């Protein structure tokens, strides 16, 4: 049987994903405190690789990984040619436009400045709205941008809403819902259909 490779997003989301495999034939054999980036299950039918979220979709699109576990925020931002086959139903949050209360999202003949970690996604959301925008790409702490006058609004993920609230910001518009997803390479899905279906079923039952 062919060994399948599953790319896992480093961090909380990936760790929770690995938990879904626990006590199944796909359970990962971890070595504590190891800096290794490739691990297997006991019978070596699966390679698990650990990469940055945005690289999960790249590995899967290129077929180097057959499957991946990653947040839908990354899938929407990266817009890669892959199948999204299963909602793993954890890591739930949503994309929103946020800013100060009463901030208008329509500014006639003026540029609306939007700070975000997700520039391609923001572009796709606003491209048909007829509103001129400037996208300001930041690496984190996005809520700071309106407070410091760097942007008027932000597009970011909101989970509990605490970060917005603590910084005096509000949701101005709700966008896409987000959660962890199982993604699959299109060619691999055809050639390894049975095995991938089996993994999908295991995850579907345990999510
Ligand atoms: C994310 C997101 C928000 C916050 C939302 O940031 O960018 O800032 O979580 O969560 P909440 O609605 O529960 O408050 P993250 O913690 O990933 O750090 P970052 O600001 O460095 O991106």
């Amino acid at each position: 049987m062919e060994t399948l490779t599953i790319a896992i997003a480093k961090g909380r989301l990936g760790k929770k994903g690995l938990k879904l495999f626990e006590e199944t034939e796909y359970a990962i054999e971890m070595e504590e405190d190891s800096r290794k980036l490739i691990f297997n299950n006991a019978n070596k039918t699966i390679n698990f690789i650990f990469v940055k979220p945005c690289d999960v979709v790249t590995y899967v699109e290129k077929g180097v990984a057959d499957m991946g576990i990653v947040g839908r925020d990354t899938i929407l931002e990266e817009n890669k040619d892959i199948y999204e086959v299963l909602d793993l139903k954890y890591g739930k949050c949503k994309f929103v436009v946020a800013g100060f209360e009463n901030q208008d999202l329509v500014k006639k003949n003026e540029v609306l400045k939007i700070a975000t970690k997700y520039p391609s996604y923001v572009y796709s959301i606003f491209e048909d709205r007829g509103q001129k925008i400037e996208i300001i790409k930041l690496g984190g702490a996005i809520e700071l941008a309106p407070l410091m006058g760097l942007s008027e609004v932000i597009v970011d993920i909101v989970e509990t809403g605490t970060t917005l609230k603590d910084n005096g910001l509000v949701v101005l518009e709700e966008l896409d819902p987000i959660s962890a997803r199982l993604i699959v390479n299109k060619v691999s899905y055809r050639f390894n259909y049975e095995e991938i279906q089996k993994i999908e079923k295991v995850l579907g039952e345990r999510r």
Side-chain angles (χ1 to χ4, degrees):
M1 191 169 43
E2 197 173 332
T3 303
L4 293 183
T5 297
I6 304 181
I8 306 279
K10 277 185 184 175
R12 258 180 302 170
L13 209 72
K15 272 196 188 142
K16 244 185 153 172
L18 285 182
K19 271 198 165 296
L20 296 177
F21 289 112
E22 275 177 9
E23 288 158 30
T24 75
E25 63 180 287
Y26 307 112
I28 190 169
E29 301 229 293
M30 275 293 212
E31 292 161 35
E32 286 299 316
D33 301 327
S34 169
R35 296 279 294 165
K36 260 174 71 172
L37 295 167
I38 306 178
F39 291 90
N40 297 104
N41 57 338
N43 58 12
K44 308 240 180 305
T45 54
I46 306 284
N47 281 328
F48 290 95
I49 59 170
F50 293 89
V51 294
K52 290 243 159 128
C54 62
D55 298 338
V56 169
V57 276
T58 304
Y59 272 98
V60 173
E61 186 191 41
K62 300 283 182 203
V64 174
D66 302 280
M67 316 173 81
I69 292 180
V70 68
R72 187 162 182 248
D73 54 331
T74 307
I75 298 170
L76 289 170
E77 172 64 13
E78 298 296 324
N79 197 23
K80 294 277 200 311
D81 195 20
I82 43 112
Y83 291 134
E84 187 187 309
V85 296
L86 189 65
D87 181 353
L88 296 171
K89 303 213 159 150
Y90 69 87
K92 284 188 184 178
C93 49
K94 61 191 168 217
F95 267 135
V96 302
V97 185
F100 292 114
E101 209 159 6
N102 304 325
Q103 168 68 50
D104 212 337
L105 294 182
V106 182
K107 290 177 78 192
K108 257 198 173 166
N109 302 321
E110 270 183 72
V111 175
L112 179 71
K113 288 188 188 168
I114 308 172
T116 189
K117 262 194 288 192
Y118 303 91
S120 304
Y121 174 69
V122 172
Y123 180 78
S124 74
I125 292 292
F126 280 86
E127 70 173 323
D128 297 327
R129 294 193 180 186
Q131 170 64 51
K132 280 189 205 146
I133 59 166
E134 179 187 342
I135 299 173
I136 299 161
K137 166 105 165 62
L138 292 176
I142 312 299
E143 294 81 1
L144 201 52
L147 304 186
M148 302 304 289
L150 182 62
S151 73
E152 278 126 1
V153 297
I154 62 172
V155 169
D156 199 14
I157 49 181
V158 166
E159 191 182 351
T160 61
T162 309
T163 314
L164 287 183
K165 190 163 170 275
D166 287 356
N167 290 290
L169 302 172
V170 295
V171 173
L172 299 169
E173 184 183 338
E174 295 199 2
L175 303 170
D176 288 281
I178 292 165
S179 58
R181 305 289 160 112
L182 179 68
I183 60 171
V184 181
N185 171 269
K186 288 189 165 177
V187 176
S188 181
Y189 204 47
R190 213 158 1 112
F191 286 103
N192 301 297
Y193 187 74
E194 269 180 36
E195 193 52 33
I196 289 175
Q197 281 278 304
K198 225 175 110 187
I199 295 170
E200 222 182 293
K201 191 160 175 272
V202 166
L203 291 175
E205 283 164 359
R206 298 172 59 87
R207 69 190 161 168

